[in-house]
Amino acid sequence: MARKGLLPRSTAFCPCVLTVLICHILSFAVTEGSDGENKISSLLATNGQPFPWDKMRLPETVWPLHYDLLIHPNLTTLDFTGTVKIQLDVLQDTAVIILHSKDLRISKAALLESSRILPLQVLEYPAFHQVALLSDGVTLSRGSQCAVYLEFAANLSESFHGFYKSTYRTREGEVRVMASTQFEATSARAAFPCFDEPAFKANFSIQMRREARHISLSNMPKVKTVELSNGLLEDYFDVSVKMSTYLVAFIVSDFLSVSKMSQHGVKISVYAVPEKIDQAEFALNAAVKLLDFYDDYFDIPYPLPKQDLAAIPDFQSGAMENWGLTTYRESALLFDPKKSSASDKLGITMVIAHELAHQWFGNLVTMQWWNDLWLNEGFAKFMEFVSVNITNPELQVEDYFLGKCFEAMEVDALSSSHPVSTPVENPAQIQEMFDDVSYDKGACILNMLRDYLTPEAFKIGIVRYLRRYSYQNTVNTHLWDSLTSICQADDLDEGRLKGGFCSQGKSHSGASKWYTEDELDVRAMMDTWTLQEGFPLITVEVKGREVSLSQERYLKSEDPTQTSGFLWQVPLTYITSRSSTVHRFLLKTKTDVLYLPEEVEWIKFNVDMSGYYIVHYEAGGWDSLISLLQHNHTALSSNDRASLINNIFQLVSIGKVPLDKALDLSLYLSRETEIMPVIQGLGELVPLYKLMEKRDMEELESQMKGYIVNLFQDLIDRQSWTDDGTVSQRMLRSYLLLFACVRSYQPCVRTATDLFHQWRESDGNMSLPNDVSLAVFAVGARTLEGWDFLFEKYRHSLYISVKSRIKSALSISPLAHKLKWMMEQSLEGEVMKTQDLPHVVVSVSKNPKGYKHAWDFLRDSWGSLVKKFDLGSHSIAYMVIGVTNQYSTREMLEEVRAFFGSLREETGSGLRCLQQSLESIEENIRWVDKNLPLLQGWLDRQGPKRRAPGPTGA
C-alpha cells in the first residue's frame, strides 16, 4: 500500500538530521494516539522503565529502506551471532525507534551519523516481541534518513521456526547438523532485529559466515566469498529486491545441488543432503517447467536471476515461498521413479507449483496485513491447479479440486468458522489464519469467480492486479477493482486488452456471464464471500417450468442466531435433462424465481462443483437425481456425482434429508469407477462406522463395514497389484486396496500377505509396486515380527516416500503398545522425526486400537507440543481436530471440554481449533442420537448382517 506524502526513495545511506532537544530526561514514556495526542504508556520494559509503545503493531514513525545483515551460525555450539545496519526513512518526528526482536541478546545499539556514532539505549518488551531504541535528548526529524546498527546473539531454535537447527543421519549413522530459516509469519524477529510486518518492505544485503566444509544459501545469488583470518569464509549475496521480512531466508549446510536454466534465463537449482541428491531430478524439471509457465501466464518476468529449491530434513509445514530460496519438506521435493508412487508425483508437483505461484502472489504483491492472508495462500492454492493442469495434463489435477472445497466446507459449516478476511493481531491469531479457510476456501471462491467472469477475463484482471501493485502491499478491494471494468485499459496494461476478448463487445450468447456494467459489480459480489463466514445452502423447488430458489447459511450448530442476516451473491450454474449447456443465474436476494424454456425430468445445480455452495432439491428433486444415478449415472460428470454425494450427506446433518434417502443414493456406487465419486462415497460412509467404534457398537459397526466393502467389492476385485494406468487410476487403486486390506477383505489380505512375505524374505530388496505397497505394509504391520521388520527398514531407508508409507502402515497396526511407542518416539525426535508427529498422532487416533492413547498423549504432552509447534499453528489445530472429531459420547465431550477449559491463554485457551473440536463432538452426538435407528433399519433392509472380520481399522 502506498504511504501518504512519500516520494520514491533511494536505498543509498543518508545520515540522520538530528535535533538535540533542550529538555530534561522524561520521567514517563509517551506514545502517539490515533488523534495525534500523546498518551502515557503503562507498559514496563524488562529493566523496569516505562516502555514507550503500547500496541502489538509497530508505529509508522520510521520506515526501513535497506538491511545490511551479517549472520554467523556455529553448528558446533548451536548458536549464532550477527550484526544488522538498517537504513531508515523518518516519517514523523520521533524520539524512539520501535522494532521487533524475539529471544535475541542485543549487546550493542547505535545511531549512525555521518561524523559520529551515538549509543542507543535498548528497552525490551518481550510480550510484544518489541524493543525500543532511544537516546536522551535526541529526536529524529520528519523527512530525514538515518541508520541504526545492532549487534546480537541467540541460540539456534529447537523448534521449526526462526533460525533453527536441523539434523540428518547419513547411511553410516553419523548425525550431521545444518541451520535453516522459517520466518513466516512472525519469526524473522527471532533471527535478527527487524520491522517484522509484511508492509515494511525493504532491500536486503546478506552476508553469511561459515566453515569451509559448509555452503551457505540466501535469497539472492552469491557475488563473492572472502577468507577470514580465523579460517572461516564469508559469503556476500547480491542486494535483494524490495520484500517483506518473512520472505528472507538463509541456510548453512553441506547440501549438494543439481541445476538447470529455464527458457527465460533463470538458473534453477535443487539442494538436498548429499546422499539424496539423486532424488532431485524430478523436482528440478517440474520447477523449470512451472516457472516458465508462470513467467508467460502472468506476462511479468520473474525478477530474480535464480530460484533455489531446498529439501530441509526438519520442516514443520509443507514448504515455504522465500523469494529465490523456496524451502520444502524432503517428502515434498524428493522423488525416485523406482520408489515413489503416483500420489507422490502429483503431490510434489502441486507443492512446487504452489510455492512458485507465490513468487508473484505474495512475494511481488503482498497482503498489507495478515487479515488478508488469503490473497497469498488462496491464490497460490488456486494457481496450483491452473498451472499443473496446463503443464502436466497427465496428472489429471482437475479431478481433485472439488475435494479442497469439501475440506473447506467442513470447517466453514461450524459457527466457530471465520471470514476469509478476518482481523488478527497477535502471533497466535496470525498463525491460525493458515487454515483451510484461507487456503482452500480462498482457492474455491477464486475458481467460482473465474468461472463466472470467464477464464480469459479473470486472467486479464489478475495480471492487471499484479502489474498495478508490484513490490507493494494490497487489500481485498485492490483485487476486486482490478477485476472490474477489465475492458477499460489503463497505462499498465500495455496493449494486453486490444483485440480478443474485449474487442468482441457485449453481444455474447445467452449463456454468457457478461451483462451490463451495473450488474457486474465484482466487489459487491465478492465481499459477500470474503467478509462473512460460512457459505449458502441453496434450496431448489421445480414446479413445471418455474424454479423457486432460496438461500440461507448452511450451519451444523443448532443456534438460529448464527444464521440470520447472512446473504450472498451466488453465481448459480445448472444443467437439466433437456440441456447439457451450462446455464447461469446470479442470485442476489433471499429468494428468487427462474423460468425454464420447457419442463424437465431433473435439474442439477452447481455444475462440476464450480461454486462454493451446496444444494437441496425439494419436492421430489432428490428422487429424480437418485433415479438418474441408479439408471444412467454417466449422464452427469464425475464431479457432479461427487458433489451430489457430498451435498446429500451434509443435508442429513442438518435434518433437511433423512439418512435413508442419502444411503439410497449411495447404492449407485456399486457401478462407480471414477476416483472422485468413489473417494467421496468412502469419505461419507466410513465416518459412520468410525462413530460406532467409539461407542462399542460392534454389531452395527460390523454391518456398516460389510455394506461398504460389498458396495465396492466389484471395483476392488478389478484392481491389479501393479503401477499401471493413469495417475487417477493408480491413486484410486492405492486407496481401494488399502481400504479393502484394512477392512480384512480376504482376497486383498491374501495377496498383500503373500507380497509382504516375499518382500521380507528378500530383506526388503524386492521391488514392490509403489502404488500398492502401503496396503502390503499395512497387512505386514499386524504382527509383532512384521512391525519390527518394517521399522528397521524405516530407520535405514534413504527414500523419503518409502519411509512415509512405512510410517503410515505402522500407525494403523492393531499393536497398541507400538502405537504409544511411536508417538513418544516422534516427540523425542531421535528415531522418528518430530515434524511427522502430527501425522502419527492423528493416524493413531483413527485406529480403533489407538484412539484412546492418542487423546491421552495429546493431553499429557500439550505443553511440549505447543512449545515445539507454536501456538495457533496448523500442526496444533490438525492434532486437536484430528484426534477429537470422531468422538460421539457425552462422556468424551465433557473430558475434552474439561481439559480445554484448564488451559491458560499462554497455553492456548483461546485457540479457534478448541471450539471447532467441541462443536464437532456435539454435532456427532446429535447425529448419532437421531440417525442410528434409521441406519440400523436401512442396513437390515439391505440383507443379512455381515461381519467384517479383522482387528484394525483406518
Side-chain angles (χ1 to χ4, degrees):
M1 186 172 76
R3 297 183 298 280
K4 289 182 181 178
L6 294 181
L7 298 172
R9 297 177 301 270
S10 163
T11 58
F13 175 69
C14 178
C16 286
V17 178
L18 297 173
T19 305
V20 179
L21 298 179
I22 305 172
C23 63
H24 64 284
I25 298 172
L26 295 175
S27 60
F28 53 84
V30 296
T31 62
E32 188 172 277
S34 58
D35 56 0
E37 295 180 3
N38 289 336
K39 60 180 182 177
I40 297 174
S41 167
S42 59
L43 307 183
L44 294 179
T46 51
N47 67 354
Q49 284 184 235
F51 191 77
W53 185 247
D54 64 354
K55 296 181 177 62
M56 188 75 71
R57 299 278 296 273
L58 296 180
E60 296 185 10
T61 51
V62 296
W63 205 272
L65 301 174
H66 188 276
Y67 292 78
D68 286 288
L69 177 63
L70 167 66
I71 298 285
H72 176 203
N74 187 321
L75 300 189
T76 304
T77 57
L78 302 180
D79 55 15
F80 65 96
T81 57
T83 66
V84 66
K85 184 177 77 173
I86 312 173
Q87 296 177 29
L88 300 170
D89 200 0
V90 182
L91 307 186
Q92 298 176 29
D93 291 354
T94 183
V96 64
I97 296 169
I98 310 289
L99 68 163
H100 286 114
S101 173
K102 181 184 180 186
D103 298 330
L104 299 175
R105 300 183 292 276
I106 298 175
S107 56
K108 182 178 180 179
L111 189 67
L112 303 185
E113 192 188 10
S114 56
S115 59
R116 59 182 178 149
I117 299 174
L118 296 173
L120 292 171
Q121 183 186 8
V122 180
L123 299 180
E124 297 182 55
Y125 189 68
F128 288 0
H129 305 159
Q130 289 174 2
V131 293
L133 308 177
L134 63 162
S135 181
D136 295 339
V138 174
T139 278
L140 308 178
S141 298
R142 177 182 177 182
S144 65
Q145 292 188 355
C146 64
V148 293
Y149 172 82
L150 299 157
E151 295 179 1
F152 56 93
N155 297 323
L156 287 172
S157 173
E158 292 288 335
S159 69
F160 298 102
H161 38 271
F163 191 27
Y164 70 93
K165 177 194 77 170
S166 177
T167 61
Y168 72 94
R169 195 179 296 271
T170 66
R171 187 179 276 112
E172 290 73 33
E174 177 193 356
V175 175
R176 294 188 182 174
V177 179
M178 59 164 291
S180 183
T181 58
Q182 171 61 38
F183 291 161
E184 190 177 36
T186 59
S187 291
R189 65 193 66 173
F192 60 100
C194 57
F195 296 81
D196 198 16
E197 295 179 7
F200 287 99
K201 290 190 172 186
N203 302 89
F204 293 81
S205 297
I206 294 173
Q207 297 162 241
M208 296 296 296
R209 203 168 282 174
R210 60 178 172 88
E211 296 179 71
R213 64 194 174 106
H214 294 131
I215 65 165
S216 70
L217 301 170
S218 189
N219 304 84
M220 299 300 291
K222 186 171 65 177
V223 292
K224 67 175 179 179
T225 299
V226 174
E227 187 168 351
L228 305 177
S229 58
N230 56 5
L232 295 176
L233 302 176
E234 195 162 287
D235 294 329
Y236 289 72
F237 294 91
D238 210 346
V239 182
S240 77
V241 294
K242 197 164 83 165
M243 62 185 187
S244 304
T245 48
Y246 78 87
L247 295 170
V248 174
F250 34 85
I251 296 170
V252 174
S253 69
D254 65 347
F255 284 178
L256 297 179
S257 67
V258 293
S259 301
K260 212 172 189 179
M261 295 298 287
S262 76
Q263 290 180 1
H264 294 276
V266 179
K267 183 181 180 181
I268 300 179
S269 306
V270 178
Y271 287 82
V273 302
E275 290 175 326
K276 297 177 183 176
I277 195 62
D278 59 346
Q279 300 175 52
E281 196 71 27
F282 177 81
L284 180 64
N285 292 328
V288 169
K289 187 185 289 189
L290 285 160
L291 197 72
D292 278 330
F293 166 81
Y294 287 132
D295 222 311
D296 293 333
Y297 184 88
F298 297 134
D299 200 21
I300 299 172
Y302 175 73
L304 307 187
K306 63 96 172 175
Q307 168 64 230
D308 297 335
L309 299 84
I312 311 299
D314 296 280
F315 201 84
Q316 180 175 342
S317 55
M320 177 60 204
E321 67 267 20
N322 317 299
W323 217 342
L325 176 54
T326 51
T327 48
Y328 301 77
R329 273 192 180 217
E330 289 184 325
S331 59
L333 199 65
L334 302 181
F335 180 92
D336 184 272
K338 295 178 181 176
K339 301 288 185 182
S340 301
S341 66
S343 61
D344 293 328
K345 179 181 286 189
L346 175 65
I348 289 169
T349 308
M350 295 288 275
V351 172
I352 294 172
H354 183 99
E355 304 313 324
L356 295 187
H358 270 311
Q359 307 303 298
W360 284 265
F361 283 103
N363 299 10
L364 183 67
V365 179
T366 312
M367 78 264 133
Q368 176 75 16
W369 180 243
W370 299 105
N371 62 304
D372 281 330
L373 174 68
W374 85 277
L375 288 173
N376 284 16
E377 298 300 350
F379 253 114
K381 177 63 69 176
F382 170 72
M383 289 306 301
E384 284 178 36
F385 290 88
V386 174
S387 62
V388 175
N389 190 37
I390 294 171
T391 59
N392 295 268
E394 75 283 358
L395 295 180
Q396 300 170 284
V397 73
E398 67 278 5
D399 281 351
Y400 311 104
F401 187 82
L402 80 165
K404 294 297 171 188
C405 303
F406 295 150
E407 287 173 25
M409 286 173 162
E410 279 292 307
V411 175
D412 216 13
L414 302 174
S415 61
S416 52
S417 184
H418 63 91
V420 168
S421 183
T422 300
V424 289
E425 180 132 313
N426 64 48
Q429 292 169 342
I430 292 167
Q431 287 278 18
E432 285 191 299
M433 290 297 288
F434 291 80
D435 67 357
D436 288 346
V437 173
S438 294
Y439 284 71
D440 296 339
K441 181 178 180 178
C444 293
I445 62 174
L446 287 171
N447 183 62
M448 177 172 66
L449 180 60
R450 178 182 188 239
D451 180 70
Y452 178 67
L453 295 179
T454 72
E456 187 176 11
F458 181 82
K459 179 181 173 182
I460 290 169
I462 62 172
V463 169
R464 171 183 285 179
Y465 168 75
L466 290 171
R467 285 176 181 264
R468 280 181 177 174
Y469 299 105
S470 292
Y471 303 104
Q472 298 179 61
N473 297 82
T474 58
V475 295
N476 267 348
T477 52
H478 293 139
L479 176 60
W480 309 143
D481 291 346
S482 299
L483 283 160
T484 300
S485 306
I486 63 157
C487 291
Q488 297 173 8
D490 63 24
D491 57 1
L492 291 173
D493 291 318
E494 297 179 7
R496 279 185 63 83
L497 308 181
K498 294 176 184 174
F501 179 86
C502 288
S503 65
Q504 296 169 16
K506 297 265 174 72
S507 57
H508 294 183
S509 70
S512 168
K513 279 75 71 181
W514 288 87
Y515 306 105
T516 61
E517 279 298 316
D518 62 337
E519 286 184 80
L520 190 65
D521 188 340
V522 174
R523 179 175 175 180
M525 173 177 151
M526 296 309 294
D527 277 354
T528 69
W529 296 96
T530 59
L531 301 183
Q532 60 185 356
E533 69 269 27
F535 59 91
L537 163 63
I538 307 299
T539 298
V540 177
E541 184 174 355
V542 182
K543 292 179 181 175
R545 292 176 47 233
E546 184 178 287
V547 182
S548 298
L549 304 166
S550 65
Q551 62 162 298
E552 62 187 297
R553 181 184 178 187
Y554 177 89
L555 188 70
K556 286 189 174 176
S557 88
E558 292 184 313
D559 184 358
T561 64
Q562 296 276 344
T563 57
S564 60
F566 284 80
L567 185 69
W568 287 266
Q569 291 195 17
V570 191
L572 300 175
T573 56
Y574 63 95
I575 54 176
T576 72
S577 57
R578 298 298 183 91
S579 173
S580 59
T581 300
V582 179
H583 297 273
R584 299 173 186 275
F585 185 86
L586 185 62
L587 180 63
K588 295 183 177 183
T589 51
K590 276 285 189 196
T591 60
D592 210 333
V593 177
L594 64 85
Y595 295 91
L596 304 173
E598 55 191 326
E599 293 191 16
V600 297
E601 287 77 47
W602 54 263
I603 188 168
K604 166 66 173 70
F605 275 82
N606 203 358
V607 180
D608 284 333
M609 190 68 196
S610 60
Y612 188 73
Y613 57 92
I614 64 174
V615 186
H616 173 40
Y617 302 90
E618 285 194 326
W622 275 115
D623 295 331
S624 301
L625 289 166
I626 291 169
S627 176
L628 176 67
L629 291 174
Q630 291 285 8
H631 297 102
N632 183 23
H633 67 277
T634 56
L636 298 174
S637 70
S638 65
N639 275 7
D640 275 332
R641 304 195 299 269
S643 71
L644 286 176
I645 296 166
N646 169 272
N647 284 192
I648 199 166
F649 278 95
Q650 298 312 304
L651 293 166
V652 171
S653 292
I654 60 170
K656 294 279 187 182
V657 173
L659 175 61
D660 48 4
K661 191 179 290 287
L663 292 168
D664 286 345
L665 183 144
S666 75
L667 287 166
Y668 105 88
L669 285 165
S670 63
R671 294 185 301 284
E672 184 59 81
T673 59
E674 297 290 332
I675 185 168
M676 283 314 297
V678 170
I679 287 180
Q680 195 58 41
L682 285 166
E684 300 294 349
L685 295 170
V686 167
L688 304 192
Y689 73 70
K690 302 304 289 184
L691 292 175
M692 299 168 214
E693 283 178 350
K694 314 298 186 292
R695 286 192 168 211
D696 300 322
M697 306 176 68
E698 292 185 20
E699 189 78 20
L700 183 57
E701 176 192 333
S702 180
Q703 263 187 285
M704 188 66 203
K705 290 174 178 174
Y707 168 68
I708 301 172
V709 171
N710 187 58
L711 191 64
F712 294 104
Q713 181 177 329
D714 289 346
L715 189 58
I716 292 167
D717 289 343
R718 293 203 297 272
Q719 302 305 310
S720 63
W721 291 74
T722 68
D723 286 337
D724 298 336
T726 66
V727 168
S728 286
Q729 288 169 340
R730 293 172 62 187
M731 288 178 64
L732 179 60
R733 175 185 306 134
S734 180
Y735 199 97
L736 281 171
L737 291 179
L738 175 64
F739 169 77
C741 282
V742 168
R743 286 276 50 79
S744 295
Y745 178 57
Q746 285 308 301
C748 180
V749 172
R750 282 194 296 269
T751 304
T753 301
D754 290 345
L755 284 170
F756 183 76
H757 286 156
Q758 294 172 39
W759 181 72
R760 186 178 170 186
E761 285 166 12
S762 74
D763 196 30
N765 294 315
M766 184 185 104
S767 181
L768 286 170
N770 296 310
D771 298 323
V772 303
S773 59
L774 178 52
V776 174
F777 295 157
V779 169
R782 289 181 172 184
T783 67
L784 188 60
E785 299 75 21
W787 201 99
D788 288 340
F789 180 78
L790 279 162
F791 181 72
E792 280 306 301
K793 293 303 163 191
Y794 170 88
R795 286 184 63 189
H796 295 108
S797 177
L798 289 174
Y799 297 101
I800 200 72
S801 57
V802 174
K803 288 175 78 83
S804 180
R805 290 196 290 277
I806 292 176
K807 180 188 67 205
S808 293
L810 296 177
S811 69
I812 56 178
S813 165
L815 304 172
H817 67 291
K818 291 293 191 183
L819 302 177
K820 292 171 66 176
W821 184 84
M822 273 185 81
M823 292 188 290
E824 292 159 1
Q825 288 298 312
S826 298
L827 183 58
E828 286 182 21
E830 292 298 320
V831 183
M832 306 186 87
K833 289 275 188 188
T834 304
Q835 66 174 13
D836 297 329
L837 176 62
H839 171 80
V840 170
V841 171
V842 172
S843 189
V844 169
S845 78
K846 305 301 180 209
N847 187 329
K849 299 297 184 182
Y851 71 89
K852 291 176 181 173
H853 300 306
W855 166 248
D856 289 342
F857 177 85
L858 181 72
R859 182 185 54 199
D860 297 343
S861 308
W862 184 261
S864 300
L865 295 175
V866 296
K867 185 175 181 181
K868 190 73 179 179
F869 292 104
D870 224 9
L871 266 189
S873 69
H874 184 262
S875 296
I876 294 293
Y878 177 66
M879 286 188 280
V880 167
I881 301 295
V883 167
T884 61
N885 69 356
Q886 290 176 349
Y887 295 147
S888 63
T889 64
R890 285 171 177 80
E891 292 76 18
M892 276 311 299
L893 174 64
E894 292 312 313
E895 189 173 327
V896 172
R897 181 178 280 138
F899 172 66
F900 290 167
S902 71
L903 299 177
R904 304 182 308 278
E905 185 176 356
E906 59 270 26
T907 55
S909 66
L911 294 180
R912 185 185 293 122
C913 62
L914 307 187
Q915 180 58 37
Q916 290 172 339
S917 167
L918 294 171
E919 270 197 76
S920 294
I921 300 172
E922 289 167 349
E923 156 62 15
N924 291 344
I925 292 170
R926 281 196 302 273
W927 194 98
V928 169
D929 288 349
K930 179 177 180 181
N931 289 300
L932 276 194
L934 280 167
L935 179 61
Q936 181 75 72
W938 190 89
L939 287 171
D940 288 345
R941 292 195 298 275
Q942 295 308 304
K945 297 175 183 176
R946 302 177 180 84
R947 284 197 174 272
T952 185

